[in-house]
């Protein structure tokens, strides 16, 4: 199949915008890494009309997909963790073309995972974790146990990814396989939630108790990125100023919930300033 695909990737390699090309082959017994395709041609470009461009091909009984991805989009996926298959592709794909060692350097960065990049990812993951945990607990208290269960599963997943990132690794598609060896306690919680014979209400009740401690013990690490940014200047921040910060913008809708959690834990404090309205105040935030 590689021979059949050669004219396609050679054409892409001849373009000045192409930084690197990888070939990813479907592994035995699993098609999750390639979205059921036998082969993936992954092309990274520095400029393109659109962030992602796809083409599908068929040859006899095999199928292949061409992914052309703008470097900016790739960096966003790696930062936000919104396309985890890409990490697998970069780590395990066969290099077909590498302009100025772009892929070599990118693979090295993934392997070494610079601390600065980890700090931002930890902050974003922690914000997602708090959002899922808070929403799940609210559903639980209202008696909506299936909705609570869904949020708790996601919160555990974010907790697992957080632990993997803290240890200096990029979370893979098979994150639970990583966590099983890195942090067995979190893996055990997940197993108990999924496999326990207790009622769903009892399972959730026990899990919220256990999760609360695990989350609290990671609060300083999880909030470090946000707190350091808030301390970059004297005084307080409005919510709009925080949302407009280029790094905090990645927290999106989870930032407000994270701030409330940190206020509750006395890491952030509220600073009220007057408005023109009687007894109505602006709500601002300052790291303690």
């Amino acid at each position: 199949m590689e021979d059949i695909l050669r004219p396609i990737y050679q054409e892409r390699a001849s373009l000045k915008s192409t930084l690197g090309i990888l070939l990813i082959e479907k592994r035995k017994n699993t098609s999750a890494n390639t979205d059921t395709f036998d082969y993936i041609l992954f092309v990274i470009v520095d400029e393109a009309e659109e962030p992602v461009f796809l083409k599908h091909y068929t040859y006899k009984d095999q199928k292949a997909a061409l992914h052309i991805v703008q470097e900016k989009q790739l960096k966003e996926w790696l930062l936000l963790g919104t396309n985890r298959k890409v990490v697998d592709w970069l780590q395990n794909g066969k290099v077909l073309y590498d302009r100025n060692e772009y892929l070599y350097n990118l693979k090295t960065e993934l392997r070494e995972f610079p601390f600065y990049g980890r700090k931002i990812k930890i902050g974003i993951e922690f914000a997602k974790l708090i959002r899922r945990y808070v929403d799940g607990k609210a559903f639980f208290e209202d008696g909506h146990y299936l909705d609570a269960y869904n949020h708790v599963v996601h919160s555990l997943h974010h907790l697992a990814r957080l632990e993997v990132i803290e240890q200096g690794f990029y979370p893979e598609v098979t994150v639970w396989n990583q966590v099983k060896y890195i942090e067995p306690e979190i893996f055990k919680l997940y197993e108990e939630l999924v496999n326990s014979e207790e009622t769903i209400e009892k399972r959730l009740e026990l899990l919220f108790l256990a999760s609360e401690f695990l989350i609290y013990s990671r609060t300083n690490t999880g909030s470090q990125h946000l707190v350091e940014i808030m301390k970059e200047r004297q005084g307080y921040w409005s919510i709009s100023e925080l949302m407009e910060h280029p790094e905090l913008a990645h927290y999106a809708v989870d930032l407000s919930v994270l701030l409330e959690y940190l206020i509750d834990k006395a890491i952030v404090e509220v600073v009220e300033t007057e408005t023109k309205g009687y007894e109505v105040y602006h709500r601002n935030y300052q790291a303690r």
Side-chain angles (χ1 to χ4, degrees), residues 184-224:
E185 187 178 2
I186 297 174
F187 182 79
K188 187 180 178 183
L189 269 184
Y190 182 72
E191 275 196 320
E192 286 177 357
L193 176 67
V194 175
N195 298 327
S196 173
E197 294 181 1
E198 295 276 8
T199 64
I200 188 170
E201 181 181 1
K202 190 66 176 175
R203 272 184 278 172
L204 288 169
E205 185 180 341
L206 293 170
L207 196 107
F208 278 121
L209 286 172
S211 295
E212 193 163 339
F213 171 75
L214 287 173
I215 293 170
Y216 179 72
S217 66
R218 287 159 175 79
T219 297
N220 287 335
T221 304
S223 62
Q224 183 182 2

Side-chain angles (χ1 to χ4, degrees), residues 105-248:
N105 293 329
L106 186 57
K107 283 171 174 278
T108 302
E109 186 179 327
L110 283 174
R111 188 169 59 251
E112 295 178 354
F113 203 171
F115 180 71
Y116 178 70
R118 286 210 305 275
K119 203 186 309 185
I120 298 175
K121 283 183 72 66
I122 285 170
I124 293 168
E125 206 65 51
F126 188 70
K128 290 178 181 178
L129 165 61
I130 297 301
R131 162 68 72 180
R132 287 292 192 172
Y133 177 78
V134 169
D135 288 354
K137 200 165 187 180
F139 279 124
F140 176 75
E141 289 169 355
D142 289 340
H144 301 302
Y145 299 132
L146 288 176
D147 290 301
Y149 181 90
N150 178 50
H151 280 277
V152 168
V153 168
H154 279 91
S155 72
L156 281 177
H157 200 77
H158 289 306
L159 187 60
R161 286 169 53 78
L162 184 64
E163 187 64 32
V164 171
I165 295 166
E166 275 193 67
Q167 296 300 322
F169 303 102
Y170 268 86
E172 298 171 2
V173 177
T174 54
V175 69
W176 286 110
N177 192 48
Q178 288 176 288
V179 174
K180 186 176 182 179
Y181 301 101
I182 293 172
E183 183 49 87
E185 187 178 2
I186 297 174
F187 182 79
K188 187 180 178 183
L189 269 184
Y190 182 72
E191 275 196 320
E192 286 177 357
L193 176 67
V194 175
N195 298 327
S196 173
E197 294 181 1
E198 295 276 8
T199 64
I200 188 170
E201 181 181 1
K202 190 66 176 175
R203 272 184 278 172
L204 288 169
E205 185 180 341
L206 293 170
L207 196 107
F208 278 121
L209 286 172
S211 295
E212 193 163 339
F213 171 75
L214 287 173
I215 293 170
Y216 179 72
S217 66
R218 287 159 175 79
T219 297
N220 287 335
T221 304
S223 62
Q224 183 182 2
H225 177 242
L226 171 60
V227 169
E228 285 182 357
I229 286 175
M230 293 181 77
K231 287 184 175 179
E232 284 177 358
R233 74 181 197 200
Q234 293 289 327
Y236 53 78
W237 297 68
S238 69
I239 185 62
S240 60
E241 287 174 328
L242 288 170
M243 289 292 292
E244 287 167 6
H245 191 283
E247 291 181 17
L248 297 182

Side-chain angles (χ1 to χ4, degrees), residues 23-36:
L23 179 68
I24 301 94
E25 188 174 352
K26 181 174 72 176
R27 290 194 288 265
K28 290 182 179 179
N29 303 322
T30 178
S31 59
N33 69 312
T34 57
D35 295 328
T36 76

Side-chain angles (χ1 to χ4, degrees), residues 96-110:
L96 300 179
Y97 174 74
D98 191 8
R99 174 166 288 165
N100 299 326
E101 296 190 325
Y102 174 82
L103 286 173
Y104 173 82
N105 293 329
L106 186 57
K107 283 171 174 278
T108 302
E109 186 179 327
L110 283 174

Side-chain angles (χ1 to χ4, degrees), residues 55-105:
K55 270 191 177 182
H56 290 171
Y57 300 91
T58 299
Y59 176 71
K60 296 183 178 178
D61 61 341
Q62 292 186 313
K63 54 185 180 179
L66 170 68
H67 292 242
I68 302 174
V69 178
Q70 199 171 1
E71 183 186 22
K72 183 180 177 182
Q73 177 65 74
L74 175 63
K75 296 287 187 179
E76 183 178 304
W77 283 341
L78 294 176
L79 177 64
L80 303 181
T82 48
N83 189 344
R84 292 193 298 280
K85 286 192 292 290
V86 165
V87 176
D88 179 82
W89 294 357
L90 292 172
Q91 289 176 334
N92 301 309
K94 178 182 178 181
V95 177
L96 300 179
Y97 174 74
D98 191 8
R99 174 166 288 165
N100 299 326
E101 296 190 325
Y102 174 82
L103 286 173
Y104 173 82
N105 293 329

